[in-house]
Amino acid sequence: DGGITQSPKYLFRKEGQNVTLSCEQNLNHDAMYWYRQDPGQGLRLIYYSQIVNDFQKGDIAEGYSVSREKKESFPLTVTSAQKNPTAFYLCASAPPGATNEKLFFGSGTQLSVL
Amino acid sequence: SQQGEEDPQALSIQEGENATMNCSYKTSINNLQWYRQNSGRGLVHLILIRSNEREKHSGRLRVTLDTSKKSSSLLITASRAADTASYFCATAGRGNMLTFGGGTRLMVKP
C-alpha cells in the first residue's frame, strides 16, 4: 500500500522544547516537501529536498530544520527558536520529472503548544 | 509567498447545484493545479491545466485558464454533500516550486 505516512497525528510541544515530525514515503519519489498551514489559510513552504543529502529553505524556514539521509524519510524538527509553532504541518512528495505537476500529501500533523 | 488568491473564501450551496470558485495569480506560470482538502487531512490533487490550455475536464470538474487575465476557475457540476471540502489552486512557475492560494471553503448542504 503505497503512500506518505506522517506521524504523530497530534503533537504537543512545551516551551523551549524541540520536537520532530516524521514523514516517510514508499513511492520512490525523489522530491519531498514540508508545508505549514495555519487555520483557514493556504500552505507555506518550509523546506524541500530534491535528492538525498540535499535540501533547500522555503519561504518560512526560520525556526525549523530538516535532514534527508534516506530517500524515504524527510523529518522536520521544530526548534525552540520557532516562537509560534502551533499549526498543521503537511509533508508531500513528487515523482521524478514531475516535481511541479502533482504533489502527493500525507495526512498531516497538528502541532500545539502546551 | 502566496501567489494564488481564491474567490470566494467560502461558498455554501445546495446539493445538486453547481459550485464555481476562482483563482487569480500574479506572475507567469507553467501550469496551474487544483487540490482538495477535507478537514484535518492532507491535500489531494484534482486536476492540472497547462499554460497553453484553456479548458480541461475531469468527471464533474471543469477548469478554465485565462493567462491574459491571470485567472482560473474550477466548476464542480451537480454537487454532492461529499464535495464539502476546501479547494486550493496552486501555480507552478520558474524554479519548480508550487505556490498555493488561501483556498475556498465549500459546503454542500444535503
Side-chain angles (χ1 to χ4, degrees), chain A residues 25 29-33 49-51 68 92-96 99:
Chain A
Q25 55 99 358
H29 289 173
D30 289 314
M32 296 187 74
Y33 309 81
S49 169
Q50 302 206 344
I51 197 168
R68 187 84 188 275
S93 69
T99 54

Side-chain angles (χ1 to χ4, degrees), chain A residues 9 37 42 59 100-101 103 106, chain B residues 1 31 33 35 37 40 42 50:
Chain A
K9 180 66 177 173
Q37 185 178 32
D59 297 321
N100 66 344
E101 297 201 351
L103 295 188
Chain B
S1 58
N31 69 63
Q33 303 164 41
Y35 289 79
Q37 183 183 33
R50 301 188 186 280

Side-chain angles (χ1 to χ4, degrees), chain B residues 13-107:
Chain B
I13 60 174
Q14 292 294 136
E15 202 164 29
E17 294 180 340
N18 295 342
T20 300
M21 49 206 90
N22 305 294
C23 170
S24 60
Y25 57 92
K26 297 173 185 173
T27 62
S28 62
I29 60 171
N30 294 325
N31 69 63
L32 185 144
Q33 303 164 41
W34 286 90
Y35 289 79
R36 167 194 167 124
Q37 183 183 33
N38 284 38
S39 181
R41 306 289 295 176
L43 278 69
V44 176
H45 184 270
L46 294 176
I47 194 166
L48 176 152
I49 186 164
R50 301 188 186 280
S51 59
N52 62 352
E53 297 176 310
R54 293 295 167 257
E55 188 170 313
K56 205 160 182 180
H57 297 252
S58 177
R60 293 184 296 113
L61 304 180
R62 173 183 164 234
V63 170
T64 62
L65 179 63
D66 186 335
T67 53
S68 67
K69 295 181 179 178
K70 291 185 169 60
S71 68
S72 172
S73 68
L74 171 67
L75 169 68
I76 304 174
T77 60
S79 64
R80 306 166 182 168
D83 294 328
T84 294
S86 291
Y87 292 83
F88 295 88
C89 68
T91 53
R94 293 181 299 172
N96 288 336
M97 288 299 108
L98 285 185
T99 304
F100 287 83
T104 292
R105 294 186 303 281
L106 172 66
M107 173 171 287

Side-chain angles (χ1 to χ4, degrees), chain A residues 38-110:
Chain A
D38 291 281
Q41 303 292 315
L43 279 64
R44 291 185 289 169
L45 183 64
I46 305 173
Y47 267 99
Y48 63 99
S49 169
Q50 302 206 344
I51 197 168
V52 174
N53 292 324
D54 185 57
F55 48 82
Q56 306 295 329
K57 292 181 180 180
D59 297 321
I60 55 165
E62 186 174 350
Y64 301 96
S65 66
V66 294
S67 63
R68 187 84 188 275
E69 297 176 0
K70 297 187 300 182
K71 187 175 186 177
E72 301 80 15
S73 179
F74 191 40
L76 173 74
T77 296
V78 183
T79 74
S80 58
Q82 173 49 247
K83 298 306 179 187
N84 184 24
T86 296
F88 191 54
Y89 290 86
L90 286 159
C91 179
S93 69
T99 54
N100 66 344
E101 297 201 351
K102 183 175 182 178
L103 295 188
F104 293 75
F105 283 85
S107 56
T109 293
Q110 175 64 51

Side-chain angles (χ1 to χ4, degrees), chain A residues 21-41:
Chain A
L21 285 61
S22 171
C23 178
E24 304 276 333
Q25 55 99 358
N26 61 4
L27 300 168
N28 201 32
H29 289 173
D30 289 314
M32 296 187 74
Y33 309 81
W34 274 106
Y35 287 92
R36 170 180 171 140
Q37 185 178 32
D38 291 281
Q41 303 292 315

